[in-house]
């Protein structure tokens, strides 16, 4: 046991390792925002008694998935190796997973936006699917996105540090924050209908970013989250103005 601790926790006396840990926790939490928005929107469409269960299972599965991926980190690292080339760009398994996840997000967000704009049409929407098929379908869709975001999260962690213990701690802390934040976020979205359209716009943007990243056009995450933050600030001001008018 002493040898195990010495092997994996010898970084505790290194200040730079603590900086890497804090930085990685912040990055993992920020990357988890995308996942939280999707989980919140999808589970809000389920019957009230199933929402909490779906959120817990979805985020719990995200934690298990990321810990398993960390255990197979040597395989995850190789996912960035090109498997074929097209139009002068080498596509890796990571690229293909990001493109597939991005297309899935764009498809789901577009269908839900269509439903929101045209509420008379209840066919082929995220709402219809979630309610008609039930909690199983919702969890399955959450797991698909968990896989995409988990692989991106682990590759980010690998790029930040070589210490596997730091990666495990950062992932566990980040997913714990997600678990604590998902209910307040879901309730906030449910109580403020205009936020739904904003959140769907975020999902659409995130989906397009994943596709662009998979195609070799990297968009700095800072730009994406700055745009999301600015949009959220503007919507917050609109909500404040509406409440003032009602008074």
């Amino acid at each position: 046991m002493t040898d195990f601790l010495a092997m994996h926790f010898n970084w505790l006396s290194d200040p730079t390792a603590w900086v890497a840990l804090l930085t990685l926790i912040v990055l993992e939490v920020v990357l988890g925002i995308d996942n939280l928005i999707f989980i919140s929107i999808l589970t809000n469409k389920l019957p009230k008694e199933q929402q909490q269960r779906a959120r817990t299972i979805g985020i719990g599965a995200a934690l298990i998935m990321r810990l398993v991926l960390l255990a197979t980190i040597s395989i995850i690292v190789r996912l960035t190796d090109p498997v074929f080339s097209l139009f002068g760009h080498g596509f890796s398994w990571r690229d293909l997973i990001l493109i597939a996840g991005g297309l899935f997000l764009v498809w789901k967000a577009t269908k839900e936006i269509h439903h929101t704009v045209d509420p008379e049409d209840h066919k082929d929407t995220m709402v219809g699917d979630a309610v008609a098929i039930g909690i199983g379908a919702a969890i399955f869709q959450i797991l698909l996105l968990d896989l995409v975001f988990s692989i991106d999260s682990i590759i980010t962690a690998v790029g930040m540090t070589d210490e596997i213990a730091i990666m495990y701690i950062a992932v566990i802390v980040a997913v714990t924050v997600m678990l604590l934040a998902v209910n307040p976020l879901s309730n906030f979205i449910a109580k403020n209908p205009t936020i739904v359209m904003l959140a769907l716009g975020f999902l659409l943007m995130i989906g397009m970013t994943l596709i662009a990243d998979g195609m070799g056009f990297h968009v700095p995450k800072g730009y994406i989250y700055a745009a999301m933050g600015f949009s959220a600030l503007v919507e917050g001001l609109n909500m404040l103005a509406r409440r003032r008018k009602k008074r």
Side-chain angles (χ1 to χ4, degrees):
M1 177 62 74
T2 304
D3 292 339
F4 175 82
L5 292 176
M7 182 186 302
H8 292 287
F9 291 92
N10 55 3
W11 52 271
L12 290 174
S13 58
D14 184 1
T16 58
W18 283 98
V19 172
L21 174 61
L22 292 175
T23 305
L24 188 54
I25 288 174
V26 172
L27 280 175
E28 293 291 333
V29 169
V30 171
L31 288 172
I33 292 173
D34 309 345
N35 213 355
L36 274 185
I37 293 173
F38 180 79
I39 291 173
S40 298
I41 291 178
L42 187 59
T43 55
N44 278 349
K45 310 308 177 183
L46 291 169
K48 194 74 174 177
E49 65 275 9
Q50 295 182 349
Q51 292 178 6
Q52 176 64 44
R53 183 182 169 201
R55 292 167 194 155
T56 303
I57 293 175
I59 294 178
L63 175 59
I64 294 171
M65 199 174 294
R66 292 182 190 192
L67 294 180
V68 169
L69 289 174
L70 276 174
T72 59
I73 200 164
S74 59
I75 299 174
I76 298 301
V77 171
R78 288 201 297 270
L79 289 178
T80 57
D81 297 335
V83 290
F84 69 91
S85 295
L86 190 63
F87 303 118
H89 174 66
F91 288 88
S92 64
W93 282 111
R94 173 184 176 272
D95 294 333
L96 297 178
I97 291 170
L98 289 180
I99 291 171
L103 290 171
F104 177 73
L105 266 184
V106 169
W107 173 62
K108 296 300 282 185
T110 301
K111 289 174 72 176
E112 180 64 5
I113 288 172
H114 170 69
H115 167 78
T116 305
V117 173
D118 184 12
E120 298 298 321
D121 181 10
H122 294 280
K123 299 176 182 179
D124 274 343
T125 63
M126 187 190 298
V127 179
D129 289 344
V131 174
I133 300 175
I135 189 172
I139 291 174
F140 177 72
Q141 292 172 37
I142 291 171
L143 290 178
L144 286 179
L145 262 296
D146 277 347
L147 178 61
V148 176
F149 289 128
S150 293
I151 289 175
D152 203 28
S153 168
I154 298 306
I155 290 175
T156 299
V158 171
M160 285 292 300
T161 179
D162 294 327
E163 294 287 349
I164 191 71
I166 290 179
M167 297 181 200
Y168 271 106
I169 293 171
V171 165
I172 291 171
V173 171
V175 175
T176 301
V177 171
M178 288 173 60
L179 192 57
L180 294 174
V182 67
N183 281 332
L185 178 62
S186 299
N187 293 334
F188 180 73
I189 290 176
K191 291 176 182 177
N192 298 275
T194 57
I195 294 294
V196 175
M197 186 62 75
L198 182 64
L200 289 170
F202 288 164
L203 289 182
L204 201 57
M205 181 172 62
I206 293 163
M208 292 303 297
T209 302
L210 290 176
I211 294 170
D213 201 354
M215 297 292 289
F217 302 99
H218 180 65
V219 181
K221 289 290 197 304
Y223 294 159
I224 302 300
Y225 294 119
M228 290 170 65
F230 179 74
S231 301
L233 176 62
V234 172
E235 181 59 28
L237 292 174
N238 284 332
M239 291 170 60
L240 183 62
R242 285 194 294 270
R243 288 179 183 176
R244 290 279 177 89
K245 286 181 180 179
K246 287 181 180 179
R247 290 177 185 175

